[in-house]
Amino acid sequence: MNRLRQALHEPKLQLFVSLPSNDLNLAKAALQEGADGLKVHINVDHRASGNSFGPLSEYAETFRSIRSQFNGPLGIVPGGSLESINPQEIEQLGDLDVDFFSIYAWHMPTFLLHAPKLAATFAIDSQFDTKLLEAAKAFPIEALEASVIPSSEYGTPLNFADLLRYRWLAQTANLPVIVPSQRKLVAADVPALKDSGVKALLLGAVVVGKSADEIQRAVHDFRNAIDS
């Protein structure tokens, strides 16, 4: 079974970290404090972290090193636009033992749905017509990333309206829901996020910062909250 599917069917809320840069030391910092999964990037300008990521050739060895550190899900954002997705790179990702890709629905070329060895997930934003989500069950999709907070509200506290939105997606999408940290999530949010029915938290730059120390502190706090 694909590592992502296995993780998202665990009874416990999963803790994933979206690395602010493709860096082995940052990956180690997250894993040492108990991250269940990691996400890396290529071919994208990342709004939340302010980083730009180049082609796979720049990071292949780093990804091999990160993969060697743990046996949980390793995901990738393979591009920041439809045109930036490179079929040759997608083929190589399976050889690097990457488990899944994560991408906005409108950035996903159709061939990605049948990429060998890669589980498919997709993200939606605050403008997405959620009535379309019911149609996703016709396709080989493993999870939905609920990137539904408007960009103007990044870094603000989680509120009850957000929980209602996550709960509605978890109940109606017929897919495991991953919540990225567009809000400034804190460990005290964990019980309410569990109650919303989501399967994984994906901590990114808004919460974990950019340094190994910041990542360790954030992951440590969320790991304790989930385990308690």
Side-chain angles (χ1 to χ4, degrees):
M1 183 187 290
N2 178 277
R3 293 183 184 99
L4 177 68
R5 182 185 298 178
Q6 190 169 350
L8 295 178
H9 283 81
E10 292 287 335
K12 182 178 284 191
L13 184 68
Q14 297 292 289
L15 183 59
F16 297 169
V17 174
S18 179
L19 296 176
S21 57
N22 297 329
D23 182 290
L24 177 61
N25 288 328
L26 298 185
K28 285 180 175 179
L31 294 168
Q32 283 167 3
E33 296 300 334
D36 297 304
L38 299 175
K39 190 167 86 170
V40 295
H41 303 73
I42 56 174
N43 305 320
V44 64
D45 293 319
H46 193 248
R47 187 166 47 194
S49 70
N51 283 334
S52 293
F53 298 88
L56 179 61
S57 59
E58 293 182 20
Y59 310 112
E61 290 309 313
T62 300
F63 293 165
R64 279 196 183 90
S65 298
I66 291 173
R67 174 74 282 173
S68 72
Q69 299 296 311
F70 76 121
N71 196 40
L74 176 60
I76 193 165
V77 179
S81 68
L82 195 63
E83 298 76 21
S84 66
I85 311 298
N86 183 317
Q88 287 73 40
E89 289 182 331
I90 299 302
E91 282 187 26
Q92 290 175 263
L93 291 174
D95 297 333
L96 293 172
D97 211 11
V98 174
D99 298 294
F100 70 99
F101 66 81
S102 169
I103 193 169
Y104 279 110
W106 49 93
H107 291 163
M108 188 196 296
T110 57
F111 77 85
L112 265 185
L113 285 166
H114 301 284
K117 304 179 186 175
L118 284 176
T121 80
F122 73 101
I124 60 171
D125 69 1
S126 59
Q127 304 299 309
F128 189 82
D129 182 357
T130 53
K131 293 194 298 291
L132 296 176
L133 289 175
E134 188 180 352
K137 61 179 179 240
F139 300 94
I141 300 290
E142 290 291 344
L144 169 68
E145 186 174 321
S147 300
V148 293
I149 306 303
S151 58
S152 61
E153 298 178 28
Y154 281 12
T156 57
L158 187 72
N159 61 65
F160 183 56
D162 301 327
L163 295 174
L164 294 176
R165 192 177 288 124
Y166 297 146
R167 180 68 181 169
W168 187 87
L169 289 170
Q171 288 180 319
T172 60
N174 293 309
L175 288 168
V177 173
I178 299 169
V179 169
S181 63
Q182 298 171 299
R183 297 290 191 195
K184 181 70 172 176
L185 301 180
V186 294
D189 293 325
V190 164
L193 286 162
K194 284 182 181 176
D195 289 344
S196 74
V198 304
K199 292 294 187 180
L201 300 184
L202 177 64
L203 304 184
V206 168
V207 168
V208 301
K210 295 184 178 182
S211 71
D213 286 347
E214 290 173 302
I215 287 175
Q216 282 185 299
R217 282 196 295 272
V219 176
H220 176 85
D221 289 347
F222 278 86
R223 181 78 268 163
N224 282 349
I226 290 170
D227 290 348
S228 63

